[in-house]
Amino acid sequence: MRLLLVRHGDAHAGFHGPVAGPKGCAGLTPLGRTQAEALRDHLGASGRIEADVLLASILPRAIETAELIAPGLGLELAGRDCDLCEVHTGEADGIAWTAYNETYGSFDMEQEPDRPFAPGGESWNGFHGRVAAVLDRLAREHDGRNVVAVCHAGVIMASMRVLLGILHADISAQLRPTNTGLTEWHHHDGTWTLRSYNETEHLLALPA
C-alpha cells in the first residue's frame, strides 16, 4: 500500500477562538482553499499518485480540503474516518480556549501523557495508540492500493513517532507539517517505509 497523508489547508482552528473538534471547526480560511486548489492542480498536472481511494477525517477542515483536491485525483471522497482526526477533545469541543483553560487548566500533553484533554477526550498516549491502529487498519483494508488520506498535523506527526519509534517526550526537536503538505508511507510485508515528508512544491507559486 502507498499511503499519502495530506494535511488540511489553513483553517479557522488553533489556539484562538473555539476548541476545533467536530462542533468547533469552522472549516478552511480563504488561504486554505487557495492552498487546496493549488494542490488539486498539482496532483492533476503531475500525476503525483494514481490514487485508488480518497479518505478524510470527520473534521470540516479535512473534508473541505479533500473535496477540493478530489478532481485532481479523478476521485470522489470515499469515506470519512474519525480515526484520522486530531486529538479527540471530548466535552471541550466548541468552547473558547479561555474557557477551556479556566475549566480544565492548561497542561503539556507530552509531559502528562495519560491525562485526557478533557472528559470524554483522549490523552497523548491514547491518541498515538489510535493513530498506530488506524495505520495498521488502512494497511489491511487497502493492501496493494494507493490511498490518499486528508488528515491533520497531529496525525502526520504521530505517524512519524509511532512508525519510527520516536515517542520520547524529552526529545526537543519537533515536526511541523505545512498546510496541504504531503507525506508518503509505503507498507509492504508488514514493514513501513517513509518515502517523503511534507512535500510542498505546489505552494511555491503562492504569495508568501
Side-chain angles (χ1 to χ4, degrees):
M1 179 189 70
R2 294 174 67 189
L3 176 61
L4 196 67
L5 299 177
V6 181
R7 187 186 177 194
H8 61 78
D10 185 67
H12 297 286
F15 294 101
H16 53 79
V19 175
K23 293 189 298 184
C25 178
L28 300 180
T29 66
L31 172 60
R33 288 190 288 274
T34 298
Q35 292 168 334
E37 289 163 356
L39 177 55
R40 173 201 64 201
D41 295 344
H42 170 70
L43 292 170
S46 68
R48 169 64 179 79
I49 186 170
E50 294 184 5
D52 298 305
V53 62
L54 174 62
L55 305 172
S57 86
I58 67 168
L59 299 181
R61 55 192 182 273
I63 295 168
E64 190 174 351
T65 301
E67 290 174 341
L68 284 169
I69 71 170
L73 295 167
L75 295 172
E76 294 183 356
L77 180 58
R80 304 175 184 184
D81 193 328
C82 188
D83 286 338
L84 292 170
C85 287
E86 275 286 12
V87 172
H88 292 158
T89 56
E91 66 180 33
D93 183 16
I95 70 171
W97 277 99
T98 52
Y100 172 85
N101 291 333
E102 292 170 358
T103 303
Y104 305 108
S106 62
F107 72 104
D108 185 331
M109 293 190 75
E110 292 186 62
Q111 296 302 319
E112 298 183 67
D114 293 315
R115 176 179 171 181
F117 181 82
E122 281 180 311
S123 67
W124 180 259
N125 285 339
F127 171 62
H128 284 80
R130 167 164 61 85
V131 172
V134 74
L135 292 171
D136 286 346
R137 175 166 60 80
L138 291 176
R140 291 194 309 271
E141 293 178 352
H142 300 285
D143 184 35
R145 306 177 80 193
N146 298 332
V147 178
V148 176
V150 182
C151 56
H152 305 268
V155 173
I156 295 169
M157 291 187 288
S159 78
M160 302 287 283
R161 295 187 189 104
V162 300
L163 296 179
L164 298 177
I166 50 174
L167 280 168
H168 305 291
D170 57 349
I171 296 175
S172 59
Q174 296 186 4
L175 300 162
R176 291 294 179 192
T178 305
N179 289 113
T180 67
L182 310 177
T183 295
E184 182 173 347
W185 289 97
H186 284 198
H187 183 270
H188 180 69
D189 287 342
T191 300
W192 288 95
T193 302
L194 181 64
R195 295 297 189 188
S196 70
Y197 172 70
N198 200 39
E199 297 175 38
T200 56
E201 176 185 354
H202 56 283
L203 299 177
L204 294 177
L206 298 185

